[in-house]
Amino acid sequence: MDASDCDVASTNWSHWHGIPWQDAHQVVGRLQARIANAAKAGDWRKARQLQKLLTRSISAKALAVKRVTENQGRKTPGIDRQTWSTPDEKWQAVQSLQHKGYQPRPMRRVYIPKANGDRRPLGIPTMRDRAMQALHLLALDPTAETTGDIHSYGFRRGRSTADAIEQVRNALGRKHSPQWVLEADIKGCFDNISHDWLLAHVPMDKSVLRKWLKAGYFEGNNLFPTESGTPQGGIISPVLANLALDGLQDVLAGIFRTVREARSAKLNFVRYADDFIITGSSRELLEDRVKPLVQDFLRERGLELSEKKTLVTHVTDGFDFLGWTVRWQGGMLLTKPAEKNVKNFLAKVRGTLRDMRTSRQADVIDKLNPVIRGWAGYHRSQMATRTFAKADHAIWQALWRWARRRHPNKGERWIKARYFRCIQGRDWRFAEKDKALLTLASFHKKPHVKVDGNRNPYSPDDEDYFDARLARKMESDLKGRRKLAWLWYWQNGLCPKCAQKITKETGWHIHHVVKRSAGGSDQTSNLELLHPNCHRQHHVNE
C-alpha cells in the first residue's frame, strides 16, 4: 500500500482535537524511513518524489503545526503579530499550509546578547512560515541525517555536545594521540552562507527554499533584502547550515594517498554546528596543508575562517571547545568546565539574586534550582568535581551577601538560623521548610556513552539502539522521582494516546484514568504519563 493511501483517512478530520496523532506519526514515520533509504542508496529521484508526497500530506502538516505551537517560541509572533493559541486557529493553520501561491513574509529582526558582549541577530518568521519550514524539515531531515558527517553532532537527532566532547577525548586522550589542534572559527556562518550554493545542493523544493532565502527582514519599519545567509531563528536554518558544512570530513580524508601517510598525519575531525576542531601530528601539517584546504572548502560556500580566532594550539597549552577546556596535563587529557563558562554561570546566579533581593526565599530557590541543575547536568560527564566545589563556595558567598543585605540590623547567628539549615549532615544549606537549594557537589560524575556515528534515527534497523539510549537518558532525568520513572518504564517510554516517545523535550502531564472527582486515587495504577497536547485532547474529546 502506498503511503498516500495511509493518509486517506485524514480527510475525515474536522477539528484539531479530532486528529489521531498515532496515525499521523505512523504515516510521516514510514515516509521518512523510505526517504532515508532512498538517500542511502543514492536514488535521489525517488527521494524527491517521497519528499513531495510527504510535504503534501495532511498528517505532516498537522505535525508541523503541532511543533510550532508547542515549542518555546510559540508565543513570539512575527511581523504579522499572530500566534496560534486556540484549537480552531491550529486547525485552520493545518488547512492553510498550501504550496500553491505560497509567499513567505519578511522576518522580524531582533537582537540577543552574546557572551562576549556583542549582539546576535535573530530572525523571527511568522507562524505560517515557521509551520512551512517545519513541514519541509520533516522531509529534508532524513536526507541530512543519512548524508551527514559521522563526527558532526550539532542540531541532529540523538546527538549532543556530550557526544562531541567524548569524540575529542577519543582523538586526543591516548599517549600516542596527535599533539596539535586547529581551532576553527567561521566568520558569521549563518549570515554568509551562499544562496547559490544552497539552491544548487540542498535536496528539497528549490522554489520554496529560494523564497525563504530571499524573504528579507524588517528592522524597525525598514525592509532589508537578504542576499546571503540563512537566518538564525528559522526552524530549518540549523539543518541548512549542517548541509553546507557536511563533506569536510571526507575532503580531509582524501588528502593522503596511502593509509600509512594518513595514520602518521593523525587527522581527526569533530564538529558541532559551526564550531569544529581538526587534530594533526604537527603544526606545519595543519597550517600548510589542512587550513588552506578548509579555506577552499568554505570559500565555495561563501564562508571564510576568522584569522583572529582560528588558531593552531598544542594540547599542553589547552583550548576551549563547547564550554569545556581541553588540556593534556600530568600525563592525561583533562576536560573540565572552561573558566569563561564558569564565570558566565556565576554571573547569572548573582544577577538572579540581585534581581530578587526583595523576593521570598522559596521563590529564590525555585528560580535558581533549574539553573544549577541545568549547568551541572551539562558538565557532569567531564572532570568537574573541583570546579563544582569552587562554584558551590562562590554561590554560598552570594547567598550570604543576599541574606545579610536583607537584615542589616541582625546578627550573623540569627541570619544563619533564618536562612541556612543542616540537611543530611551538610551544614549551611540554603533552605526554607521543605525546599532546599541544590548544590553542585550533589551531582556526581556520570560518564557519557558516545553515540555511534554510523547510526541513523530514521532507519528502522537502528530504532532499538536509539530507544535504549533514550531509556538511559530518561533514567538519569527522572532519578529521584520514583513514581514518574515507574510510569515511564511501565509505558515503555510511550504516550498511550499517540504511541510516540515521551522525552524531556516533549514534556509530559500526569493523567488520572479515573478522575479524582470521581473517586480516583493517586496510586500509580490510576496514573498515566501523556504528552501535554494528548492530555488536552483527551479531556476535550471526553
Side-chain angles (χ1 to χ4, degrees), residues 299-327:
R299 191 177 298 114
E300 182 183 350
R301 291 151 175 78
L303 302 171
E304 61 178 325
L305 291 175
S306 169
E307 290 296 331
K308 184 178 180 181
K309 297 180 180 179
T310 300
L311 308 170
V312 176
T313 308
H314 197 273
V315 290
T316 55
D317 295 327
F319 61 94
D320 288 353
F321 186 60
L322 303 178
W324 289 288
T325 293
V326 182
R327 176 181 286 111

Side-chain angles (χ1 to χ4, degrees), residues 256-310:
F256 308 104
R257 297 180 180 178
T258 65
V259 174
R260 178 177 293 181
E261 189 181 2
R263 286 178 178 173
S264 63
K266 300 180 179 179
L267 282 191
N268 294 282
F269 173 81
V270 184
R271 178 167 71 83
Y272 187 91
D274 59 338
D275 293 329
F276 64 91
I277 65 160
I278 303 171
T279 70
S281 58
S282 68
R283 174 187 288 273
E284 291 72 26
L285 171 67
L286 293 175
E287 288 185 340
D288 300 337
R289 297 189 65 181
V290 173
K291 186 177 177 182
L293 195 69
V294 173
Q295 289 173 325
D296 291 342
F297 177 89
L298 295 176
R299 191 177 298 114
E300 182 183 350
R301 291 151 175 78
L303 302 171
E304 61 178 325
L305 291 175
S306 169
E307 290 296 331
K308 184 178 180 181
K309 297 180 180 179
T310 300

Side-chain angles (χ1 to χ4, degrees), residues 322-379:
L322 303 178
W324 289 288
T325 293
V326 182
R327 176 181 286 111
W328 187 272
Q329 185 177 349
M332 64 184 300
L333 188 72
L334 303 181
T335 50
K336 59 183 182 179
E339 185 177 339
K340 182 178 179 182
N341 190 276
V342 176
K343 286 183 178 179
N344 290 338
F345 165 68
L346 293 177
K348 184 174 184 178
V349 171
R350 292 170 182 140
T352 300
L353 290 173
R354 186 167 51 251
D355 295 340
M356 301 185 72
R357 53 186 174 270
T358 60
S359 301
R360 296 186 308 122
Q361 184 181 10
D363 294 337
V364 173
I365 293 172
D366 289 339
K367 185 75 172 179
L368 286 181
N369 271 347
V371 176
I372 294 172
R373 184 184 293 109
W375 193 78
Y378 184 87
H379 290 290

Side-chain angles (χ1 to χ4, degrees), residues 52-174:
K52 184 175 181 180
L53 189 62
L54 178 56
T55 55
R56 267 64 176 178
S57 163
I58 194 169
S59 295
K61 293 175 182 179
L63 292 181
V65 172
K66 183 173 182 286
R67 173 171 178 172
V68 301
T69 54
E70 290 184 356
N71 62 16
Q72 290 184 345
R74 63 188 181 277
K75 296 181 180 179
T76 305
I79 61 169
D80 59 358
R81 299 294 174 182
Q82 291 183 1
T83 58
W84 299 332
S85 55
T86 67
D88 287 342
E89 290 173 337
K90 294 174 185 178
W91 176 242
Q92 291 171 9
V94 172
Q95 297 174 305
S96 74
L97 296 185
Q98 304 296 328
H99 289 73
K100 186 176 180 180
Y102 170 65
Q103 184 61 47
R105 303 283 297 276
M107 289 167 292
R108 180 167 66 92
R109 172 156 290 193
V110 297
Y111 291 88
I112 57 175
K114 296 172 64 176
N116 60 6
D118 294 337
R119 297 192 304 164
R120 175 181 284 114
L122 195 68
I124 303 177
T126 63
M127 291 294 291
R128 183 166 183 247
D129 293 335
R130 273 179 257 178
M132 284 294 285
Q133 288 189 20
L135 175 61
H136 282 270
L137 181 58
L138 288 172
L140 177 62
D141 201 43
T143 301
E145 283 291 340
T146 304
T147 61
D149 288 341
I150 292 177
H151 296 309
S152 165
Y153 299 98
F155 304 116
R156 297 182 65 185
R157 282 181 57 182
R159 289 162 170 80
S160 66
T161 53
D163 294 305
I165 196 64
E166 287 301 322
Q167 181 57 27
V168 172
R169 292 189 61 81
N170 291 343
L172 297 173
R174 298 174 178 84

Side-chain angles (χ1 to χ4, degrees), residues 448-481:
H448 178 79
V449 179
K450 191 184 81 67
V451 68
D452 183 346
N454 292 303
R455 302 283 188 166
N456 188 337
Y458 292 100
S459 171
D461 296 337
D462 296 327
E463 186 173 351
D464 289 343
Y465 174 81
F466 284 102
D467 284 350
R469 288 183 62 83
L470 175 61
R472 288 196 297 269
K473 184 177 185 300
M474 288 298 291
E475 183 180 4
S476 174
D477 292 340
L478 297 177
K479 188 175 182 180
R481 307 165 79 178

